[in-house]
Amino acid sequence: MTKKELLNSYRTSVIELEELRRQLKQVGTDGRPTGVRSMQMDSIRGTNDPSAAAMQLADGLEEMLTRKEEELAELSTQVDALLRSIRDFRTYMVVQHYYVLARTDEQVARAMSISRGRVNQLRLEYLESA
């Protein structure tokens, strides 16, 4: 896997993980959507019941979240090694913010007080280097 593929994979996983956490938070902590917490569980008749479907959704999201966290942990070692190999501080910050923290070029530029174009240039130069 090239460093570009590795970093893009890591960034995508971070974004997906955050989205799964957001969706799971919307479902609620007890397996039911936030708006249905007051429903009685003894009234569930089958998987077509909204409460049962909500619990299945929560279970599925939790399983996906666990798999995504495991995937990210596997990639993390390789990404850490790439980050340690970067000697230029600005490049390091750009790569870390963009790929590891999954920020946009605009967010990285604001955080570093440089232009969005310069962020993009540093990132692309790093990806093209050997």
Side-chain angles (χ1 to χ4, degrees), residues 83 86-98 108-109 111-115 117-123 125-126:
L83 287 173
I86 300 173
R87 298 293 169 231
D88 178 60
F89 182 71
R90 275 190 165 180
T91 302
Y92 173 87
M93 292 300 294
V94 166
V95 170
Q96 182 187 36
H97 279 261
Y98 187 82
V108 176
M112 294 179 63
S113 299
I114 58 177
S115 73
R118 182 67 178 140
V119 167
N120 193 30
Q121 181 185 26
L122 287 168
R123 187 168 48 82
E125 282 174 1
Y126 173 70

Side-chain angles (χ1 to χ4, degrees), residues 25-30 32-40:
K25 188 176 180 180
Q26 284 182 338
V27 172
T29 57
D30 59 358
R32 291 179 282 175
T34 308
V36 210
R37 285 195 180 140
S38 60
M39 291 179 69
Q40 295 296 323

Side-chain angles (χ1 to χ4, degrees), residues 36-113:
V36 210
R37 285 195 180 140
S38 60
M39 291 179 69
Q40 295 296 323
M41 295 311 291
D42 57 0
S43 65
I44 293 179
R45 303 243 185 266
T47 56
N48 288 334
D49 185 284
S51 294
M55 285 188 287
Q56 286 178 339
L57 173 63
D59 290 345
L61 287 171
E62 286 172 356
E63 184 180 328
M64 289 169 58
L65 183 73
T66 301
R67 276 186 293 184
K68 193 53 71 178
E69 286 172 337
E70 290 168 356
E71 178 184 321
L72 210 52
E74 289 175 18
L75 293 173
S76 182
T77 306
Q78 297 172 52
V79 170
D80 287 344
L82 277 180
L83 287 173
R84 283 192 303 273
S85 72
I86 300 173
R87 298 293 169 231
D88 178 60
F89 182 71
R90 275 190 165 180
T91 302
Y92 173 87
M93 292 300 294
V94 166
V95 170
Q96 182 187 36
H97 279 261
Y98 187 82
Y99 293 105
V100 177
L101 302 176
R103 304 277 164 77
T104 64
D105 283 343
E106 186 66 38
Q107 290 169 325
V108 176
R110 262 187 272 126
M112 294 179 63
S113 299

